[in-house]
Amino acid sequence: DVQLVESGGGSVQAGGSLRLSCVAGGYTANRQCMGWFRQAPGKEREGVAAISIGGITRRYADYVKGRFTISQDSNKTSVYLHMTSLKPEDSAMYYCASVQQLWHAGCDWKTFNYWGQGTQVTVS
């Protein structure tokens, strides 16, 4: 199976920073992209940031551009989300996600098909 384990969430004051981590394990065949989504209570899950395995393609939601940075380690088994200038509206459960399929995905939000359990981020 695909395993995506998030960590790094917590409570922070507005204007503060957090760094989320995701470790990918288990089935890794045809992995093309990794990324982060978030979901607040009563709202739909939305894409935050994504990166292709080669690091060439990066995507950010408009509301986090200039504040969040996605990165990955050299062996491509971990992905990170460095969040700065956090706002109360950033409060949500943040999920690590991956795209694993045979055909080219391009890391579009709707191509992600595996998910971690989430880590809570609360900004006050």
Side-chain angles (χ1 to χ4, degrees), residues 59-76:
R59 299 185 185 276
Y60 294 97
D62 288 341
Y63 51 82
V64 305
K65 288 181 178 178
R67 299 191 297 124
F68 293 8
T69 302
I70 189 169
S71 62
Q72 61 190 0
D73 60 2
S74 59
N75 62 15
K76 312 301 189 297

Side-chain angles (χ1 to χ4, degrees), residues 19-35:
R19 185 174 186 250
L20 306 183
S21 299
C22 173
V23 178
Y27 183 76
T28 61
N30 303 308
R31 178 170 289 159
Q32 298 185 39
C33 316
M34 297 186 70

